[in-house]
Amino acid sequence: MSIFLSPRALVAAFVAVMAVVTGALLPAPSGDAEVGTLSTGAEGRAGSGIPDASPVDAEQVLAHAQREAEARAAAEAAAEEQRRAELRSALEAIAAARAQAEAEARAAAEASTRQLREEQVGVPPDEYWDRMAYCETGGNWRMTGSRYSGGLGFYNGTWDAWGGREFAPLAGQATREQQIIVANRVATQGYHGPRGYVAPVGYSGWGCTRKIGYP
């Protein structure tokens, strides 16, 4: 007995054989029906080379990402702390240099003052000027005013004329010792300034001379 197959059945049989040989499921050439279906799920991932994304793998990925984020945060914090430490060191170095410069300036000013005092001959003792200051201003060596200034009540023009600006713009801004130097110039020493020599005028310029007397 012979077996008769229609052309459509022959084509379907050929497709099935090719599917077995190649491992692919191809659709049958029917109008609406499909012979094969696309592989999905674990079988499809296995065939495509995509690894299974199990819950354990996801936890490992999240843990790794968290460790990397923590490492980056720690590195940034360490870098910030290093920058702050460098800034503190720089500020401390600046402050130390400034303090040293100020100390050297004070030492130089004191040395200059001592030298000027040593050059003065025939001047009254400092105690005399202390008594004069107490009488003139109550001993306020820091007193400043629009016309008079300093513990000895210098007229501001007198302070300028006898070289007071070598020490400060106003007598009250100079030290006690510097004010006494200028007082000795006014009273007995005179002053060799940029405009020439300025002669001494004695003690009469201080009204308290009549009270405390001459040295």
Side-chain angles (χ1 to χ4, degrees), residues 102-178:
E102 290 176 352
E104 292 175 353
R106 284 194 300 270
E110 291 173 358
S112 176
T113 299
R114 285 194 300 271
Q115 182 179 0
L116 289 172
R117 294 296 303 275
E118 291 171 357
E119 293 174 353
Q120 292 181 333
V121 179
V123 298
D126 290 355
E127 290 76 8
Y128 176 79
W129 294 116
D130 286 333
R131 288 190 289 122
M132 182 73 75
Y134 184 79
C135 177
E136 292 282 348
T137 64
N140 183 9
W141 295 93
R142 308 302 296 173
M143 186 270 293
T144 57
S146 59
R147 298 186 63 191
Y148 299 94
S149 183
L152 298 170
F154 281 102
Y155 176 64
N156 293 336
T158 301
W159 177 259
D160 294 345
W162 273 268
R165 283 185 173 269
E166 292 179 3
F167 307 115
L170 296 174
Q173 297 170 344
T175 66
R176 166 183 171 274
E177 291 75 14
Q178 292 167 344

Side-chain angles (χ1 to χ4, degrees), residues 128 131-138 203-204 206-215:
Y128 176 79
R131 288 190 289 122
M132 182 73 75
Y134 184 79
C135 177
E136 292 282 348
T137 64
Y203 298 90
S204 59
W206 285 278
C208 283
T209 302
R210 294 187 297 271
K211 295 181 180 180
I212 67 172
Y214 292 88

